[in-house]
Every structure is written in structure tokens, then in C-alpha cells.
Amino acid sequence: MQLGSVFAYLPSEEHTAELGRWLAPRLKAGDCLLLDGAIGAGKSHLARALIRTRLGRMEDVPSPTFTLVQTYQADVEIWHADLYRLSHPDEVAELGLEDAFSQAICLIEWPDRLGASLPPNAIRLKLSTQSDGRRVELTAPDHPELLVEFAQSWPE
């Protein structure tokens, strides 16, 4: 069974964090999670929960808005990038992300800034505000097992 996208509704910030905790053990080296959504949609909140879960401890996980990239040493290296401040896709090469795409778990906020550097088998998670919560669209055609499990665990 191959699906393109699945949807869910997250009624609160805690549910957004729970989705990050749910995703954490399901990602492996070479996985790239593209976090798409407007400012305030919950991208950093989800990434923070995912990173803390993967680290197995509470740790300060700042948004990489100004540093552009933060790395974390877990069982697999995690790269958390916020590309909002990039003005041209050529700047991605300077960050070293292309090497990280094959060796680390990469969490990329503002993935539209990647341009041609967008990994072809990336997992896209789009967050948008809806009522008091968030609507989530998970697109991962190269990861059908993740889509099936997401649809079962996070019914719309």
C-alpha cells in the first residue's frame, strides 16, 4: 500500500509535542524531516520534543533561527536547521547540510529555502493552524510504512 499524504488534527501544543515524541524513534540516519508552516505553526515546538526524546533527557533546545543550525549528539547525530534567514539556496552549501542529509537525522524548518538541495526522499510535515490547534499533513511517498503507522496512530 503506497500513500502520498495523511492528515491529523492536533488540538493543543501538548499534542504537537507528543507528535514529535512519536516521530523520534521512527527516524534513522539519512532521514530528513522537512517542517513546513507559517511562523508560530509549531515547527520548533515539535522539533524540540523530537530532539529531547531522541537524546533521552531534558536539554535546552533553542530555535536555530539565528545560528541557522544546531547539532545534537544522540545515538544518531541530529541536525536542526532554521533556514528562514537564508536569502538564496546557494547559502545551503555553506551550512554543510548536504553531507548531513546522508549521515544524520535532519530537521529542516523553512525547507523552501533548500532549492535544488531538497533531498528527494524527504519526509514533509506541514503544520497549519486550525481552530485552537493545528492541522498536520505528513507526506512521505518513500516511507509508506510511516504513513500507514501515522494514519493508525493519529486519526484525523
Side-chain angles (χ1 to χ4, degrees):
M1 173 181 191
Q2 182 156 358
L3 303 169
S5 295
V6 290
F7 299 88
Y9 177 71
L10 307 174
S12 68
E13 276 193 12
E14 178 52 33
H15 286 89
T16 303
E18 181 59 32
L19 177 56
R21 291 188 291 270
W22 182 88
L23 283 165
R26 290 165 174 83
L27 299 178
K28 62 186 183 323
D31 283 342
C32 182
L33 181 63
L34 307 176
L35 297 167
D36 206 357
I39 292 173
K43 299 178 298 293
S44 292
H45 189 68
L46 185 140
R48 187 171 294 115
L50 190 156
I51 291 165
R52 286 177 174 158
T53 299
R54 196 66 188 234
L55 290 172
R57 64 182 183 274
M58 286 301 293
E59 182 164 319
D60 184 33
V61 178
S63 172
T65 301
F66 295 103
T67 58
L68 300 179
V69 175
Q70 295 284 130
T71 60
Y72 301 90
Q73 295 301 319
D75 58 321
V76 173
E77 189 174 35
I78 301 169
W79 285 50
H80 181 199
D82 183 331
L83 307 181
Y84 182 75
R85 293 181 38 231
L86 295 187
S87 58
H88 194 276
D90 289 347
E91 294 172 301
V92 171
E94 297 171 24
L95 299 176
L97 282 173
E98 290 187 6
D99 288 336
F101 288 152
S102 63
Q103 302 169 11
I105 293 171
C106 295
L107 311 175
I108 309 293
E109 297 186 41
W110 302 98
D112 59 309
R113 307 298 204 272
L114 287 171
S117 297
L118 190 73
N121 63 343
I123 300 164
R124 182 178 296 271
L125 191 117
K126 183 174 183 179
L127 296 160
S128 54
T129 55
Q130 182 179 358
S131 301
D132 290 337
R134 294 171 176 87
R135 180 170 169 78
V136 176
E137 178 181 1
L138 182 68
T139 305
D142 293 332
H143 304 271
E145 68 291 339
L146 180 65
L147 291 172
V148 169
E149 194 174 349
F150 179 85
Q152 293 170 346
S153 300
W154 297 88
E156 186 171 20

